[in-house]
Structures are given as structure tokens and as C-alpha cells.
Amino acid sequence: MRSPVDTALSQALLLWYARAARPLPWRATRDPYAIWVAEVLLQQTRVEAAIPYYHRFLAAFPTVESLAAAEEEEVLRVWAGLGYYARARNLHRAARRIVREGGFPATVEGWRRLPGVGPYTAAAVSSIAFGQNVLALDGNALRVGTRLLGIDEPLEDPRTRLRIRTALEALIPEGRAGEFNQALMDLGATVCLARSPRCGTCPVRPWCRTAAQGLWERIPARRAKPPKPHRHFVAALVRDAAGRVLVVRQPPRGLWGGLWTLPQVEARTWKQARPRLERVLGVRLRRRNGKVFATLRHAFTHFLATFHVVEASPSTLPAVGRFTSPCSSELPLPAPARRILGRLNT
């Protein structure tokens, strides 16, 4: 049985959410497909960046059946530029399973069995689209929970997360888990910020131990992050007589799985990269001049990358890949490849 304190806190949070909720497009529907697509987009993408991709993706694939019927390359092309392409591949695989099995799962357990669906996504879709009484614990909810409880232990500790989960689950009003979860997300995203939280406008401040003790700078506790490793890649810029650029499709799995890129290998210099590039293309390569055409840096989640682009001429037509216009949008290209090709249009 919920305590009067739990009930009062939940009511205050939901009343605040009713008037302050962010007007996000996926909140205007109960369609599990649209909600699922949104949650997958938001896994590694800021809300502002996700919104145009949400509209673009649903315009291309308005139903789970249309997504299931599409070719993987078309799905990746629509996703191109958003990054973390495993999300798109898993969406596609899961859509085919949903269609094959005759419909969407309605429970957390059912969603967890789909490719790429973790605990948070399963709980979010189940609570928002199907009314399941489950907690969706994302980074925002964790921050709100640790401050409400005044826990100064690192959030990476499983015991800390369990304490937060247990406390927040006790607050969920029966039948309103979807609203409760979204209210927690919005509170963490707009009020209970990681730095400089807006405690003066917080609807649950009367119950917040961190606010009462003025310890928001210490809570949540943060472990120092190690510096990201720095990886170097050499890409060969091969052009035909018409100015088109050679691109190759990457293997199905890996960082750029299924995407098209310039021929590239992990290396620091042309001397290191050349024999490996020649094995990839099945031809001999000659460097066209002694200069690097372009050097680009790109930040990934777990590492930093520098791409050294070198102009090269093949001894004969390469055995793999295809030539494409630098301004073409017909192939799914990751952001670094698009930036390189963009240099050719300036």
C-alpha cells in the first residue's frame, strides 16, 4: 500500500507534468510503433536532433509492416547522418519479427526479446503504449531519484541503482505509469539538471533530501571518466573520369555495418594503409600527390577518430565498390564519409 507521502509526491509530479510537459510529437499518439521508433531514436540522440529524424523515418516507413518489407540498405539510407547504425539495423530486424509473430508484444518481457530492445526501452514502450505498471529508468530518472533520496554513491554502483529503482517504483500511481515515467524524464531534462538544477521551480522539492541539504553539486556523485582513445584511419579518394568517387560497402557488422564509405583502413600513414587498401580493392594503388587531401576529426561515443584522406589512382577498375556522385544521397553514408564528400563540392 502506498504511503500518503508517496501519494503526495506523485500527485505533485503529475500535476506539474500536466502543465509543463514538453510538446513532443510522439506524445500525440498511443501507436506502439511510433512510440518505439521515438524511444530508439532517443537512445543516443538529443531530443532536438531526434525530432526531424522521427518525422523523416515515419514518412518513409509509416507502419511496422512497411519497415519490415523494406531492404536494409533503404533503412540505413533514411537513418543516414544520425549515427549509431546498429539501432536502425535492430529496428529493422525487430520489425520483421513483430510482423512474423503477428503483432506487438504488450509486456516488458515480450519487448525484451526483440533485437536491440533493452530494459529501459521495453519499460517505456510497455508503460506508455500499453499501460503496463512498470518503471522506465533512464539517466534523467536516475538523477532525479538519487537526489530525492540524497544518495552520494556513484550511479554506476548496481546497489545504488537498485535503491533508486525500488524507491521510484513505490511512487508509480496505478494505471498511470506512462505519465509518471514521462514526467520523470521531463523533470530531469528541464529542471533537475546535471549542473545548476532549477530547484526553485521543482515540483518535488519538498520531498528532496539533496535540496534540503544543499548538496546538489555533490549528488549524483560522478566518477572521473578516462580520456577517450584516439584512432586514426586512412581513406583512399579514388575518382573516375566523370568526377565520381569510389565507395565500398562495409561488412554487415561493425562500426559502419552495412554502410558505404570511402575505402579506408585503420592506420596512421599511407605507407601503412596502402597494402591493406589494395587487398580490399583487389588492385594496385598509386598515390596521386604527396599531400593529404583532407584531415577530418570525428567524435564517436567511445573514441575520437582522425581520418587522413589521400588521393589515389587504381591500376585498373577496382574489384569491389561503386562510383557515386559526391552530392548523391541515394546511398547510406556515415557522417565522416559525407563530410569528406562535402569537401569535393566546395
Side-chain angles (χ1 to χ4, degrees):
M1 186 172 178
R2 299 174 71 229
S3 71
V5 172
D6 290 346
T7 299
L9 193 162
S10 299
Q11 287 178 344
L13 178 62
L14 291 175
L15 284 171
W16 170 83
Y17 179 69
R19 66 174 185 273
R22 292 175 292 176
L24 304 176
W26 44 86
R27 289 180 173 170
T29 180
R30 294 294 297 272
D31 177 8
Y33 173 65
I35 293 168
W36 171 44
V37 168
E39 290 298 339
V40 173
L41 283 167
L42 293 169
Q43 285 172 8
Q44 299 284 354
T45 306
R46 292 179 298 105
V47 167
E48 296 78 9
I51 289 174
Y53 277 93
Y54 171 80
H55 291 304
R56 173 178 168 179
F57 198 87
L58 289 187
F61 311 111
T63 65
V64 69
E65 290 81 9
S66 62
L67 177 57
E71 295 297 325
E72 182 182 272
E73 184 166 314
E74 173 62 12
V75 177
L76 292 174
R77 187 190 67 78
V78 173
W79 196 272
L82 192 58
Y84 308 98
Y85 291 91
R87 292 181 295 172
R89 292 192 294 271
N90 284 328
L91 263 174
H92 190 221
R93 290 169 55 210
R96 290 186 166 179
R97 183 182 296 184
I98 289 167
V99 171
R100 188 169 61 248
E101 295 180 355
F104 291 100
T107 64
V108 169
E109 294 75 20
W111 281 98
R112 285 298 307 276
R113 288 193 288 269
L114 293 175
V117 177
Y120 168 76
T121 300
V125 178
S126 298
S127 63
I128 298 169
F130 296 99
Q132 295 287 299
N133 213 55
V134 292
L135 176 70
L137 193 62
D138 71 343
N140 284 320
L142 278 169
R143 185 167 60 256
V144 171
T146 194
R147 283 180 172 157
L148 278 173
L149 298 173
I151 300 174
D152 60 0
E153 300 295 328
L155 289 177
E156 294 84 358
D157 189 329
R159 293 170 298 181
T160 300
R161 290 181 175 238
L162 180 59
R163 283 182 63 190
I164 295 170
R165 173 176 290 280
T166 301
L168 292 180
E169 284 177 339
L171 298 174
I172 300 175
E174 187 67 34
R176 302 186 70 183
E179 290 173 82
F180 181 82
N181 286 328
Q182 292 178 95
L184 279 179
M185 296 174 207
D186 276 18
L187 187 66
T190 64
V191 175
C192 194
L193 305 174
R195 291 174 174 80
S196 302
R198 299 163 181 164
C199 298
T201 63
C202 181
V204 297
R205 180 172 182 172
W207 299 273
C208 181
R209 295 179 184 176
T210 298
Q213 299 172 34
L215 297 178
W216 62 264
E217 289 185 335
R218 286 176 42 192
I219 298 175
R222 300 177 180 89
R223 288 180 177 170
K225 293 183 179 179
K228 291 182 178 181
H230 194 158
R231 297 167 62 181
H232 291 259
F233 298 85
V234 173
L237 178 59
V238 177
R239 288 182 274 194
D240 65 8
R244 297 178 303 169
V245 178
L246 179 68
V247 292
V248 296
R249 194 174 190 190
Q250 296 294 319
R253 296 293 173 260
L255 182 61
W256 295 287
L259 301 175
W260 293 79
T261 70
L262 273 66
Q264 62 189 36
V265 295
E266 189 164 356
R268 285 180 174 270
T269 66
W270 172 252
K271 183 177 180 180
Q272 294 172 340
R274 176 179 171 179
R276 293 161 59 193
L277 287 167
E278 289 178 339
R279 286 196 295 271
V280 169
L281 297 177
V283 297
R284 299 281 294 175
L285 291 174
R286 178 178 59 85
R287 188 169 183 174
R288 291 186 59 185
N289 57 55
K291 297 180 180 179
V292 174
F293 172 79
T295 299
L296 295 95
R297 290 176 174 82
H298 190 81
F300 294 88
T301 302
H302 302 298
F303 68 94
L304 303 174
T306 296
F307 294 85
H308 309 279
V309 186
V310 176
E311 293 186 89
S313 298
S315 58
T316 185
L317 190 67
V320 298
R322 58 185 287 186
F323 286 92
T324 185
S325 167
C327 59
S328 172
S329 60
E330 66 180 27
L331 294 177
L333 300 170
R338 288 196 177 277
R339 288 177 59 197
I340 293 169
L341 295 184
R343 295 285 183 95
L344 302 175
N345 295 322
T346 59

